Amino acid sequence: MPENNSVTEFVLLGLTQDPLRQKLVVFIFLVFYGGTIVGNTLIIVTITFSPTLGSPMYFFLFYLSLSDSCFSTTMAPRLIVDSFSAKKVISYNECMIQVFALHFFGSLEIFVLIFMAADRYVAICKPLRYPTIMRRQVCLILIVFAWIGSFVHGTTQIILLLRLPFCGPNLIDHYCCDLQPLMKLACMDTYVVNLLFVCNSGALCSFSFIVLMISYIVILHSLRNHSAEGRKKALSTCTSHIIVAVLLFGPCIFIYTRPPTTLPIDKMVAVFYTIGTPFLNPLVYTLRNAEVKNAMRRLWYIKTMTE
């Protein structure tokens, strides 16, 4: 902890102070977090053990499900446990770790979504060169790059936070540690620091979203040259990816691309992209994907037959 800090712990105010609403929060988060872990684990297991899901798209989907599970785990368990406590205390070091984990796994998900869009672009717009461009070695290099890039992004956030002195109030009007609520407590002018945060997190979200939307517009435009069956299959896949991108980037851009202010709606928006989106992703990728559903059925059939 920096020497100019007199604060050794923070108190999280949570989503609500009402006891009845807190019980409702526990129930909702248990359902969503349980569904997130079960759904994403099911996708991970299916891709791992299904020989029919060996294409690069499912290689990236494996890591998307992994990042979703870890991303949600950085928030949900602590919020559920804190709902049973009268005073929700988190130490300074734990708070910094939570911020790092939030941005590490969040940026990992962003990188994976970009690679999935690139995979669909090559598959639809350059099908003859697809096996050469999206070969296994290239996919592995991209994933390594995603992990390194996520680590650099998360580390940058922590370095900036560690420069902020906390010497006064320690009440965080949130259910987790994040950039905006912490900057509000800093004992210094945070204008420049907020600009750096916007250039880091805000730019990452906004630029990535723009790149994704442009890539999918190009993909959808190129579908006019495909057969009706090919258009239907490609449109189904791209629609799933676009839904996931909007669910993630909409709240992300809202939170990280504005001046250093906190709004009453911030906590609900944060709930949506930290808990809601990881819960919805498995539904989007299984209910709209016949290959994944068929692979799950085959694995379940093999399991029941072996028993």
Side-chain angles (χ1 to χ4, degrees):
M1 187 176 69
E3 294 181 359
N4 56 352
N5 278 1
S6 60
V7 173
T8 59
E9 63 182 25
F10 297 100
V11 178
L12 299 168
L13 296 183
L15 285 172
T16 178
Q17 301 297 309
D18 183 82
L20 182 60
R21 290 181 179 178
Q22 283 189 359
K23 293 179 182 178
L24 181 61
V25 166
V26 172
F27 174 76
I28 293 174
F29 272 73
L30 278 172
V31 171
F32 273 70
Y33 180 62
T36 298
I37 297 302
V38 171
N40 283 294
T41 301
L42 188 58
I43 290 178
I44 291 172
V45 171
T46 302
I47 294 174
T48 301
F49 293 101
S50 296
T52 58
L53 302 181
S55 67
M57 183 177 71
Y58 297 112
F59 175 81
F60 293 128
L61 180 56
F62 173 94
Y63 284 98
L64 180 66
S65 295
L66 179 64
S67 62
D68 271 339
S69 299
C70 296
F71 185 57
S72 184
T73 301
T74 63
M75 300 292 159
R78 183 173 191 99
L79 186 145
I80 293 170
V81 172
D82 283 348
S83 297
F84 295 100
S85 305
K87 189 176 183 182
K88 306 167 181 60
V89 177
I90 183 171
S91 71
Y92 178 90
N93 292 334
E94 288 175 332
C95 187
M96 296 300 109
I97 292 172
Q98 190 177 63
V99 172
F100 174 81
L102 170 67
H103 288 271
F104 176 84
F105 291 112
S107 59
L108 179 61
E109 183 170 356
I110 289 174
F111 280 121
V112 173
L113 286 173
I114 291 175
F115 298 153
M116 293 177 77
D119 172 76
R120 290 301 86 199
Y121 170 79
V122 177
I124 295 171
C125 300
K126 302 181 183 296
L128 297 179
R129 299 180 60 190
Y130 181 76
T132 304
I133 297 175
M134 298 304 297
R135 60 188 185 275
R136 189 72 173 182
Q137 294 89 333
V138 172
C139 294
L140 289 172
I141 291 172
L142 290 175
I143 286 299
V144 170
F145 174 82
W147 284 90
I148 294 174
S150 301
F151 179 81
V152 171
H153 170 72
T155 302
T156 303
Q157 304 291 69
I158 292 302
I159 291 174
L160 291 173
L161 274 181
L162 290 176
R163 296 174 63 87
L164 297 179
F166 298 99
C167 49
N170 66 340
L171 295 177
I172 299 178
D173 188 14
H174 212 292
Y175 66 88
C176 66
C177 290
D178 204 1
L179 306 178
Q180 298 288 8
L182 285 171
M183 280 195 294
K184 190 176 180 181
L185 302 180
C187 305
M188 62 173 286
D189 184 2
T190 59
Y191 178 78
V192 174
V193 176
N194 182 72
L195 286 180
L196 296 175
F197 281 136
V198 170
C199 292
N200 191 0
S201 294
L204 176 65
C205 293
S206 302
F207 178 74
S208 300
F209 183 69
I210 292 172
V211 169
L212 282 172
M213 290 301 101
I214 291 175
S215 66
Y216 283 119
I217 290 173
V218 173
I219 291 171
L220 294 175
H221 182 262
S222 70
L223 290 178
R224 55 190 172 84
N225 299 322
H226 290 67
S227 64
E229 184 179 352
R231 284 198 300 268
K232 182 179 179 181
K233 184 178 179 180
L235 187 61
S236 176
T237 302
C238 291
T239 302
S240 299
H241 294 187
I242 292 172
I243 291 172
V244 171
V246 172
L247 291 176
L248 175 66
F249 287 103
C252 177
I253 293 172
F254 175 79
I255 293 291
Y256 297 115
T257 58
R258 67 169 200 254
T261 56
T262 55
L263 302 175
I265 197 175
D266 284 354
K267 288 190 279 189
M268 294 309 301
V269 173
V271 167
F272 188 77
Y273 77 84
T274 59
I275 306 297
T277 303
F279 172 78
L280 293 174
N281 282 355
L283 299 178
V284 170
Y285 282 108
T286 54
L287 295 179
R288 297 183 59 85
N289 193 307
E291 286 182 287
V292 174
K293 288 190 290 186
N294 291 335
M296 288 180 177
R297 291 192 190 101
R298 282 193 293 270
L299 284 179
W300 180 256
Y301 176 77
I302 293 173
K303 181 179 181 298
T304 55
M305 288 296 292
T306 55
E307 291 178 352

